[in-house]
Amino acid sequence: MARADRDGPPAVTIERPDTPVDSGRAAVLQPTTLAIAALFAFIVLVQGISAPFQKDAEPQSAQWIQSIVRDGHWLIPSDAYGYTDRKPPLFYWLSALVADATGATVDEVRARAVSVVAGTALATVVLAWTVANVGASEGWLAFLFMLGTYGFASRATEALTDMILTFLLFTAYCTIATLVENSQPQARAAPGRPMQAGLILGLAVLAKGPIAIVLCALAASIYLLIERRNPLALLRQRWPWQVVAIAVAIGAVWYVPAAIAGGNKILRIIFAENFGHFMPAKLGGTGESYRPFYFIAARLLGGAFPMTLLIVPAALAFYTGEISAGKRRAVIYQISMSLAVLLFFSIASVKRDDYILPALPGIAILCASVFALEVRGWASKLRDVVVAAFVFVPMFGILFILFVALFPDHLPQLKLQSSDAAYYGIFLGLPVLMSVSLVFGFPIGLAGVGIAIFGLVGRRTIVIGFGFGLIALVLSSFWTSVMRPRLATERSVKSFIPIVAEHVKGDQLCIPSGINYELSYYYGAAVPDLSHPQCANGTAGKPVYLLSTPREMDAMTPEYRARLKLIAKSNLIGGGGPPALYEILPSGANGGLKGADGATK
């Protein structure tokens, strides 16, 4: 990327420059402006915070928070099934403080509040850093692109550690930027800067573990390599060792007491969460969540949409020299973190969707830079083509909404996968079409289309970027505020639990197999499977109930299914079918089976 200004004049077909060009580099935003931006980001990101939990990850996190609030297990929280927290508990500590301060109740809003605040802070820091180091226009566009990216906005309302890790990691990485830039052996770090960076990085370690240190070091090394500088030069300075020492010391605040109190059990968990998740199973890794090496790249392309549409024009701008030399280094510095995330987690054995989150700020800054180029060359032309194509997407959506409203009896029948089919069914529902978000978002989306077209006609690049970001923001907000919460409501067992509790009362409730954190969270207690002695129905007159989906029922023998008396059936959606409540008739009533024997084919 940095080659264009070293090997002669750029290969650019120069036309009249895009207007306006002045982006106000090295500007500093006033606190009032940052506060208004933060408030706007909070309003956007908080949408859907009260949606029910789905699956296992968030309910288990909520149970760890409950363990702190209810039982006082601040050092090593445990869930309803007795499994301990596998990560440093900074996120759970903060969430517990929020719950303690607001009634000592852990619900969806309280469990997700820390993530929303961290996401708001992250978007604001991206804005402030980009304005100060790249340009004012790029800063506001990067801010808008972050909020308009579904992969970012959707994770701001998840009760998981990834958003607070990303905020702390980005802030620490920005803090060491000047230290990395002045990485000559004779250079001296600014007083207090290593301590500040170490403190922030140490909190990141308390949020997710040593991975924060690894990603920071890897990103700085990638940046220096791109700039044709030796990363080993950092090792000859004091400040990297100071930053790491402070970060490790802060991380030890939890790791050391937890290892002493938890003994070998906690040590095995710590080993599995760090070394075990990186190494393949053949070399001692856990072997869980194995996916092909391209999984992270694919998820990043999808999770950063629509920003990913601009990556190729942005990269081309570096090659052709259309981006100014004064902005190049700052943009490369931030995209180095995105490359570090892509490289590290592509190599790692365990790969999950949430791992892409720390890569998004760098991509937002990179894509924002393509709207403030010095000259109009191939990158500018490709950018305009990409934006023009993207503008047509909401136009098709508008036409489809009008078609649904005018011809509800002639809807197209599509063959989709379960989740896509669920979203399609929700979208066709009248409550969604008449939702407040759509009513307000519709004219804003139209305005975004108009602004983008106006900018394209007049070659006003910042206007083009604003229109692009506005369209993305409307689409993302509609999904996070309407579609995603409604899907969660139709899938989560939350609405079915009162019916279950009314029938079960003080008797035993069971599930066919495994662990169900979503059910146990809303039920208020661990629900064992049929292999557990509590689910053995050997005594007549003591009812035992079973909550099962049709898919789970298909895995049972006909003799065992004959013992199940249907009590209540839900209308929830999901891949396994709607769950239903059954009473397990005493052994001998049908089939003569004992306990869970014969429950599985």
Side-chain angles (χ1 to χ4, degrees), residues 85 125 127 173 213 225 285 296 323 364 372 399 404 451 464 513 538 566 587:
D85 173 22
V125 173
L127 166 64
Y173 188 59
I213 299 176
L225 288 173
I296 294 296
I323 185 171
L399 293 176
V404 170
I451 291 171
I464 297 172
S513 61
L566 179 63
S587 56

Side-chain angles (χ1 to χ4, degrees), residues 174-179 189-198 243:
C174 291
T175 305
I176 67 171
T178 56
L179 302 176
R193 184 61 64 90
M195 180 174 291
Q196 182 183 3
V243 170

Side-chain angles (χ1 to χ4, degrees), residues 167-397:
F167 163 63
L168 293 170
L169 181 62
F170 180 82
T171 306
Y173 188 59
C174 291
T175 305
I176 67 171
T178 56
L179 302 176
V180 174
E181 189 63 34
N182 300 324
S183 59
Q184 301 302 322
Q186 69 275 14
R188 289 191 176 184
R193 184 61 64 90
M195 180 174 291
Q196 182 183 3
L199 288 172
I200 300 172
L201 194 58
L203 292 176
V205 172
L206 281 179
K208 194 82 171 184
I211 183 63
I213 299 176
V214 174
L215 287 177
C216 252
L218 181 58
S221 299
I222 291 174
Y223 168 71
L224 292 175
L225 288 173
I226 293 175
E227 289 293 305
R228 297 183 180 180
R229 294 157 63 186
N230 185 5
L232 296 179
L234 293 176
L235 302 179
R236 296 195 291 268
Q237 296 191 35
R238 289 184 179 180
W239 72 262
W241 302 104
Q242 293 171 342
V243 170
V244 172
I246 295 172
V248 170
I250 293 176
V253 170
W254 176 78
Y255 276 100
V256 173
I260 295 173
N264 291 333
K265 179 181 178 181
I266 289 296
L267 290 176
R268 286 195 300 268
I269 292 175
I270 293 173
F271 179 84
E273 280 295 309
N274 296 282
F275 178 80
H277 280 185
F278 179 76
M279 300 301 294
K282 294 181 180 179
L283 298 178
T286 60
E288 61 179 282
S289 300
Y290 173 80
R291 293 181 174 98
F293 74 95
Y294 56 82
F295 176 84
I296 294 296
R299 288 303 187 200
L300 189 57
L301 290 174
F305 186 85
M307 292 193 300
T308 45
L309 298 174
L310 299 169
I311 290 179
V312 174
L316 184 59
F318 277 89
Y319 179 77
T320 60
E322 292 173 62
I323 185 171
S324 68
K327 301 175 182 179
R328 180 179 290 109
R329 283 190 173 181
V331 176
I332 291 176
Y333 182 77
Q334 288 298 344
I335 201 61
S336 295
M337 176 59 77
S338 305
L339 294 174
V341 171
L342 177 61
L343 176 63
F344 183 85
F345 290 114
S346 294
I347 297 175
S349 175
V350 176
K351 301 175 179 66
R352 297 194 177 104
D353 295 1
D354 300 321
Y355 292 170
I356 69 170
L357 194 56
L360 298 184
I363 294 177
I365 295 171
L366 172 69
C367 294
S369 70
V370 81
F371 290 97
L373 302 178
E374 282 195 321
V375 292
R376 182 173 178 80
W378 287 107
S380 301
K381 296 174 182 177
L382 180 59
R383 174 205 63 207
D384 292 349
V385 171
V386 169
V387 174
F390 179 71
V391 165
F392 283 100
V393 174
M395 295 180 66
F396 282 114

Side-chain angles (χ1 to χ4, degrees), residues 499-535:
I499 300 174
V500 172
E502 181 183 354
H503 289 283
V504 175
K505 297 178 181 175
D507 296 320
Q508 184 61 50
L509 177 65
C510 302
I511 55 177
S513 61
I515 292 175
N516 190 325
Y517 283 110
E518 180 188 338
L519 173 62
S520 63
Y521 171 79
Y522 287 115
Y523 188 65
V527 180
D529 64 11
L530 290 175
S531 64
H532 197 279
Q534 294 179 354
C535 297

